[in-house]
Amino acid sequence: MANKTNAKNQGNNVPANETKQEKAKVGMVRLMTRRANFYIFIAIAVIGFVLLNLVAQFIPKVDTTVGGIFTLTETTKKVLNDLDDTVTIYALFDEVEARADVNSQGKAEQAGILDRYEAFSKVNVSYVDLDKKPGFLKNTVGEAAAANYAKGDFLVKCGDKVRHISSSEIYSTATYTQDIQTYVYATGIKLETKLTSAIIKVTSDTPIICYSTGFGEVSKSKYENLLEYISYNGYDIVEIDLNKDTIPENAVCMLFMGPTEDISGTAAETLKTWLGSGRSAYFFMDIKSPKDGTIIYNDFKNFRDVMSEYGIDIEKTIVEESNEKTIANMTGDSIFSAKTKSAGSLENLASTELKLKNTRTITIQEKTDQHDNFQVATLIETSKDATSVSIDQNKSNRKGTAIVAASGSAYTSYATKMTVSKIVVFGSSASFTNAFLEEFGSESARKIMNESMRWMELDIKSNVADTIEAKKYNNQINSYVDVTKKDSTVITIFVMIVLPLVIIAAGFTIWIIRRHK
């Protein structure tokens, strides 16, 4: 019995050092496994961190709005991808304030759209706070054009070419009446349409405005300030005599400044055909000669024939206002103040006061069944106390409101398609001479010219951006969900920092727990 016990003891009698080695090996294996698991977990966390960073870059580009406000059309994408030269879009407001303005139709919405443009390699976006940089516009577009810009507007620039987008243009609107009160509300945003259109214009050939010289007009130097302002808006001014010159292919507008002679019948037909192709014209039809101040007795039969297709005619009268509106002067000229109307070519311009000099009366025609393919609007009119003094001794004077500026649109079938041509008629060019603008100020005159030029849409050729429709809002009150810059920052911080730290902390905790088991 003793022998069996000794044998058993001998079989189980393992050296102490050997047991320790085995335990050490087992412990080492466990330690290596834990470390491997920990490193693998860290590697997974790092890979996840990198992937989440990549995903986070696309978060601001997610468009969750009802009308796809932040999704650029294929038309815009093609225009931007095809750009050869760099275009800069200047948003004339503070970026930080804009991105914080997340209300319906707020600036954050506009900033979100600008982000989509800036994603293209040939487009730069810059925010300019005019309060902090008051000299920016003067240095960029010149003193003359700078006066027409306001905070909240946009300026699109490529090289020396610029285009102005007013904040009043970027929304489509409608009205509704409640309790006899009429309200205006935004139905959609047209910012993409306006931006893409402006980009096309600043990257295309420079359009030409033709200054007529063939019908007794004075030198264009008399209107240098006005013409310089037009040039700043991205147009070349070229002199042309319709009696012998061919209208340039990239001409978009004719400018008749105070003609003293009637246009010839042949030139009138040429002008009609050219206008019918979708072009535009300004007619400044003085009653007193810009050369020497003498009365112009010409009937302007052919000029009037051209204007009649737009529902506009001119009279052989000179307008005199009531004493309270007349500005006293030593020359005996009829100078007075009048206010514009928000209609026709000035529909987007709030009523503004303009000084006028020696203007004739303009009349507008009513549509008839035989002639209804035009739209006409009064732009400027006098008070009811004004008098239209006839220069024709056989006609009497007429007291009452007188129209002194009007605009008209005519619809014509040209080259198998319907086109729209537009004209603006003023009863005098004297209000736009260098001397008059320097004496009485040029701000109102420039606003009127700017708005009417925008209304004319002076492009060399059809602009594909015109096919881009406004992004419609869901209803009267914009009910969209947008990933704003603030939201994007919060999400990015969570994805890039908080979430990876949580994962690492969880892994570390598990490692600690397992280590002590």
Side-chain angles (χ1 to χ4, degrees):
M1 184 72 178
N3 291 334
K4 289 182 181 179
T5 303
N6 292 334
K8 184 177 181 182
N9 290 337
Q10 288 176 1
N12 293 330
N13 188 16
V14 180
N17 60 342
E18 187 176 338
T19 302
K20 290 180 180 180
Q21 289 177 359
E22 290 296 329
K23 289 182 178 181
K25 287 181 181 180
V26 172
M28 182 61 68
V29 170
R30 290 179 178 176
L31 178 61
M32 294 298 293
T33 302
R34 289 170 181 169
R35 286 181 178 178
N37 290 338
F38 177 72
Y39 292 139
I40 291 171
F41 187 84
I42 292 297
I44 293 173
V46 170
I47 293 172
F49 179 80
V50 172
L51 291 176
L52 288 172
N53 270 272
L54 293 175
V55 172
Q57 294 179 13
F58 295 94
I59 291 175
K61 298 180 181 179
V62 176
D63 185 1
T64 58
T65 57
V66 174
I69 292 171
F70 303 112
T71 301
L72 298 182
T73 61
E74 292 303 317
T75 299
T76 291
K77 291 177 182 178
K78 185 177 187 310
V79 169
L80 301 182
N81 282 323
D82 291 345
L83 288 175
D84 294 322
D85 301 315
T86 300
V87 174
T88 300
I89 302 172
Y90 293 99
L92 304 182
F93 46 81
D94 182 78
E95 181 179 7
V96 175
E97 292 179 2
R99 295 195 184 279
D101 183 12
V102 296
N103 297 316
S104 179
Q105 291 106 52
K107 285 288 190 295
E109 184 178 78
Q110 299 172 26
I113 295 173
L114 291 175
D115 288 342
R116 272 56 178 184
Y117 277 84
E118 194 172 24
F120 290 80
S121 60
K122 291 291 185 178
V123 180
N124 295 326
V125 174
S126 179
Y127 293 83
V128 179
D129 187 341
L130 297 181
D131 295 331
K132 297 177 182 177
K133 296 182 178 180
F136 170 78
L137 287 173
K138 182 179 178 181
N139 296 332
T140 304
V141 300
E143 187 173 0
N148 203 56
Y149 288 77
K151 189 173 183 178
D153 291 355
F154 296 85
L155 188 157
V156 180
K157 191 174 189 293
C158 180
D160 295 331
K161 299 177 184 178
V162 298
R163 278 294 183 274
H164 174 207
I165 301 173
S166 171
S167 59
S168 63
E169 297 179 77
I170 65 176
Y171 291 103
S172 57
T173 60
T175 60
Y176 73 96
T177 302
Q178 183 176 348
D179 298 330
I180 317 179
Q181 182 71 38
T182 300
Y183 300 90
V184 179
Y185 64 94
T187 59
I189 185 167
K190 301 187 293 183
L191 185 56
E192 181 186 350
T193 306
K194 296 299 180 180
L195 286 174
T196 301
S197 176
I199 288 172
I200 291 172
K201 291 176 182 179
V202 298
T203 56
S204 302
D205 293 335
T206 304
I208 290 175
I209 294 181
C210 297
Y211 183 92
S212 174
T213 61
F215 311 105
E217 297 93 342
V218 297
S219 169
K220 65 180 184 179
S221 62
K222 192 176 185 72
Y223 310 98
E224 186 176 1
N225 290 347
L226 177 67
L227 299 180
E228 184 181 61
Y229 172 72
I230 293 175
S231 296
Y232 278 134
N233 278 273
Y235 302 96
D236 287 338
I237 309 296
V238 175
E239 293 186 354
I240 186 173
D241 182 351
L242 284 179
N243 292 313
K244 57 183 181 180
D245 297 332
T246 301
I247 301 176
E249 184 178 352
N250 57 333
V252 295
C253 183
M254 292 292 300
L255 196 58
F256 297 93
M257 300 296 295
T260 57
E261 303 169 11
D262 196 12
I263 189 173
S264 66
T266 302
E269 290 304 315
T270 299
L271 180 60
K272 283 183 182 180
T273 302
W274 181 78
L275 285 171
S277 66
R279 304 309 190 189
S280 303
Y282 285 96
F283 298 88
F284 292 82
M285 306 302 293
D286 293 74
I287 193 66
K288 286 188 175 184
S289 171
K291 295 180 179 179
D292 54 22
T294 57
I295 297 293
I296 301 174
Y297 291 95
N298 200 312
D299 288 330
F300 292 117
K301 178 180 179 298
N302 292 326
F303 267 122
R304 292 170 60 201
D305 183 50
V306 174
M307 291 184 284
S308 68
E309 297 193 356
Y310 300 83
I312 300 174
D313 198 3
I314 57 174
E315 293 185 353
K316 296 172 71 173
T317 58
I318 184 168
V319 178
E320 294 182 354
E321 256 289 9
S322 60
N323 290 334
E324 62 182 24
K325 289 186 175 293
T326 298
I327 299 173
N329 61 90
M330 302 297 293
T331 61
D333 292 313
S334 175
I335 302 176
F336 58 89
S337 298
K339 286 190 174 182
T340 62
K341 300 184 69 175
S342 298
S345 64
L346 304 182
E347 61 183 352
N348 291 319
L349 179 67
S351 181
T352 185
E353 188 175 273
L354 180 70
K355 303 293 190 299
L356 298 170
K357 177 181 178 181
N358 296 336
T359 181
R360 72 164 74 227
T361 306
I362 293 171
T363 59
I364 58 176
Q365 304 169 13
E366 297 293 333
K367 291 184 178 182
T368 64
D369 292 337
Q370 293 78 26
H371 196 62
D372 63 352
N373 62 332
F374 65 81
Q375 289 184 342
V376 63
T378 298
L379 303 182
I380 308 174
E381 62 183 11
T382 67
S383 72
K384 63 181 181 179
D385 298 320
T387 302
S388 297
V389 180
S390 175
I391 62 171
D392 187 342
Q393 294 181 352
N394 296 322
K395 293 185 177 181
S396 58
N397 301 338
R398 184 179 68 255
K399 188 170 183 178
T401 302
I403 300 171
V404 293
S407 66
S409 305
Y411 303 87
T412 309
S413 178
Y414 180 83
T416 71
K417 66 178 181 179
M418 186 64 70
T419 63
V420 182
S421 52
K422 301 176 181 181
I423 70 170
V424 173
V425 181
F426 290 91
S428 171
S429 70
S431 308
F432 297 87
T433 62
N434 300 333
F436 194 83
L437 293 179
E438 289 171 2
E439 182 176 359
F440 294 100
S442 59
E443 183 177 356
S444 294
R446 287 171 178 165
K447 284 182 178 179
I448 290 170
M449 288 299 295
N450 184 73
E451 287 300 323
S452 59
M453 288 170 66
R454 183 179 288 120
W455 171 76
M456 286 179 173
E457 298 177 323
L458 302 180
D459 299 328
I460 297 174
K461 55 186 178 182
S462 60
N463 194 323
V464 294
D466 295 338
T467 64
I468 302 174
E469 297 182 354
K471 300 295 179 65
K472 298 295 183 182
Y473 293 137
N474 186 39
N475 48 35
Q476 177 181 326
I477 299 175
N478 187 14
S479 59
Y480 64 86
V481 179
D482 178 26
V483 180
T484 66
K485 187 70 173 179
K486 182 179 180 181
D487 297 333
S488 173
T489 301
V490 173
I491 295 172
T492 301
I493 291 173
F494 177 79
V495 171
M496 294 175 62
I497 301 175
V498 177
L499 185 58
L501 288 176
V502 169
I503 294 173
I504 292 173
F508 184 75
T509 301
I510 293 171
W511 178 76
I512 292 294
I513 293 172
R514 293 186 62 183
R515 182 182 180 184
H516 292 286
K517 281 186 177 180

